[in-house]
């Protein structure tokens, strides 16, 4: 079962999300938080697999909550009604694995929960465009660069959400070798992290 924690200051939104998600055979909602501080507290207490996190909340906003979450868990999907694209970059750099808007189709949200739980990075088209366009501090990812065949393979696996250890297993190479390839890919693309590399791969058909 994929354990989900919902953080949103609107009770109706929380109830709607819980009702739909609990209908899924492989998803269960383990808790609800009404603000960012409570989200951090419940994440530590309940150890969910995925956190659906609103950005605009009282006490502590979503970005503040992202900064306080401990460890690698849970994987976070920002789910917001705010259309300000300047929030996308900071949220992804703070550790979010997904960025969606509240008008997302319910079935697409379920698929997003499953995808992010499986290690993938997932963004709404508008959010992806905000990252790719070089807005909110992200480098502009334009024009294909010269990657070796192995680096292209590594980039494709990064876009698939695989960790260095998983990539090493997929390619039958040492994890240290993968780290070198990843560093080279990031340098050649002129990006700072794996999320931006994954977005490049999607944009240029390398995923």
């Amino acid at each position: 079962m994929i354990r989900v924690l919902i953080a949103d200051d609107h009770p109706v939104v929380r109830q709607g999300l819980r009702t739909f998600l609990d209908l899924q055979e492989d998803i269960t909602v383990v808790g609800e938080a009404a603000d960012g501080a409570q989200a951090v507290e419940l994440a530590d207490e309940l150890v969910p697999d995925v956190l659906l996190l609103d950005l605009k909340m009282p006490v502590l906003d979503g970005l503040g909550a992202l900064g306080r979450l401990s460890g690698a868990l849970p994987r976070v999907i920002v789910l917001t009604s705010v259309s300000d694209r300047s929030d996308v970059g900071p949220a992804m750099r703070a550790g979010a694995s997904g960025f969606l808007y509240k008008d997302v189709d319910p079935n697409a949200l379920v698929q997003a929960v499953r995808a992010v739980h499986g290690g993938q990075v997932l963004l709404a088209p508008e959010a992806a465009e905000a990252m790719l366009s070089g807005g909110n501090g992200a480098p502009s990812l334009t024009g294909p660069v010269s990657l070796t065949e192995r680096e292209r393979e590594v980039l494709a696996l990064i876009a698939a959400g695989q960790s260095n250890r998983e990539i090493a297993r997929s390619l039958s190479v040492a994890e240290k070798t993968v780290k070198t390839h990843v560093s080279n890919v990031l340098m050649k693309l002129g990006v700072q992290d794996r999320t931006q590399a994954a977005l490049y791969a999607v944009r240029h058909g390398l995923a």
Side-chain angles (χ1 to χ4, degrees):
M1 294 291 288
I2 302 173
R3 295 162 47 83
V4 175
L5 172 64
I6 300 169
D8 195 292
D9 59 332
H10 295 289
V12 173
V13 173
R14 295 199 306 271
Q15 183 58 48
L17 290 170
R18 172 185 280 275
T19 299
F20 187 76
L21 292 174
D22 275 341
L23 291 175
Q24 312 305 312
E25 293 183 354
D26 58 339
I27 298 175
T28 182
V29 176
V30 296
E32 300 177 18
D35 58 64
Q38 189 177 24
V40 174
E41 180 181 340
L42 289 179
D44 287 339
E45 177 184 339
L46 301 174
V47 195
D49 299 307
V50 177
L51 167 60
L52 295 180
L53 181 69
D54 191 14
L55 287 182
K56 305 302 180 184
M57 293 186 292
V59 184
L60 182 68
D61 65 13
L63 287 178
L66 273 168
R68 294 189 186 182
L69 290 171
S70 59
L73 296 176
R75 294 186 177 273
V76 178
I77 298 177
V78 169
L79 187 62
T80 181
S81 58
V82 179
S83 59
D84 187 353
R85 294 187 175 190
S86 65
D87 289 325
V88 181
M92 300 305 290
R93 287 192 291 273
S97 297
F99 196 105
L100 301 173
Y101 297 99
K102 288 182 180 177
D103 61 357
V104 64
D105 180 82
N107 290 316
L109 177 60
V110 170
Q111 293 303 320
V113 169
R114 292 171 178 150
V116 167
H117 176 253
Q120 297 182 41
V121 175
L122 194 148
L123 294 90
E126 301 89 345
E129 179 60 31
M131 291 287 289
L132 290 167
S133 65
N136 50 76
S140 178
L141 308 184
T142 58
V145 297
S146 177
L147 298 177
T148 67
E149 185 61 32
R150 179 62 86 186
E151 288 167 350
R152 290 167 66 93
E153 291 175 338
V154 169
L155 178 57
L157 294 174
I158 289 174
Q162 291 196 13
S163 66
N164 285 352
R165 179 172 297 179
E166 291 169 331
I167 293 174
R169 189 180 303 117
S170 296
L171 300 179
S172 299
V173 298
E175 188 173 349
K176 183 177 179 180
T177 301
V178 172
K179 291 180 180 179
T180 299
H181 287 314
V182 170
S183 295
N184 290 340
V185 167
L186 297 183
M187 180 183 64
K188 287 185 177 182
L189 297 184
V191 299
Q192 297 178 346
D193 54 46
R194 299 168 76 97
T195 298
Q196 293 178 9
L199 290 171
Y200 180 99
V202 171
R203 185 176 193 181
H204 293 284
L206 301 175

